[in-house]
Amino acid sequence: KYCALSYYMVFVNQSVAEEYLKAPIKEAGYYIGPILTDKINDKNMELRRYAISGLGDIKYKPATETLRQILLDTSELDYVRADAFVVLTKFNTSTANKVLLDFKLSTTDTIDMKVIELGNYFLHAE
């Protein structure tokens, strides 16, 4: 609990192979969730996609609202929105499922459809 910030610092400053990038998040566990949730609001965060995915790995469900905002933000890159889609799917809570259902039902343009398609692809690729 008291080391979460230290684990976050390791996460953003490490120099390891891609397959090990999320290791500090997994080792820190749930307590790194608030830090990651705050940091993923920065669209320029260097390891943002790994941080978003890491929230799913540690099942940090309080990030649902932040992930919803990313999913619905049309100024976001489609694959980042798809990452949020994947994590919300992994959460499998009534709130996360409602966000996903509302998103799917309101999807009318091809970019949103691509986000869903990418999200489903990422889910099945894991």
Side-chain angles (χ1 to χ4, degrees), residues 32-89:
I32 198 171
I35 298 168
L36 295 177
T37 302
D38 179 55
K39 299 294 185 182
I40 63 171
N41 283 311
D42 178 4
K43 292 181 182 184
N44 296 314
M45 179 187 183
E46 195 169 320
L47 297 172
R48 189 173 184 220
R49 293 189 71 201
Y50 294 97
I52 291 170
S53 178
L55 288 166
D57 293 341
I58 62 171
K59 308 262 189 283
Y60 189 71
K61 295 171 184 170
T64 299
E65 178 56 27
T66 301
L67 293 166
R68 183 191 72 78
Q69 291 171 5
I70 292 170
L71 176 64
L72 300 179
D73 185 350
T74 56
S75 70
E76 289 279 5
L77 297 168
D78 55 2
Y79 55 85
V80 174
R81 294 173 69 198
D83 291 337
F85 179 95
V86 168
V87 175
L88 289 167
T89 302

Side-chain angles (χ1 to χ4, degrees), residues 60-124:
Y60 189 71
K61 295 171 184 170
T64 299
E65 178 56 27
T66 301
L67 293 166
R68 183 191 72 78
Q69 291 171 5
I70 292 170
L71 176 64
L72 300 179
D73 185 350
T74 56
S75 70
E76 289 279 5
L77 297 168
D78 55 2
Y79 55 85
V80 174
R81 294 173 69 198
D83 291 337
F85 179 95
V86 168
V87 175
L88 289 167
T89 302
K90 286 182 177 181
F91 284 175
N92 194 27
T93 63
S94 59
T95 304
N97 291 338
K98 179 168 177 17
V99 168
L100 293 168
L101 180 63
D102 290 349
F103 179 69
K104 290 174 185 174
L105 292 175
S106 68
T107 296
T108 56
D109 67 35
T110 56
I111 294 173
D112 286 351
M113 289 178 194
K114 184 175 181 183
V115 168
I116 294 169
E117 183 180 312
L118 277 172
N120 286 324
Y121 174 78
F122 294 161
L123 278 167
H124 292 55

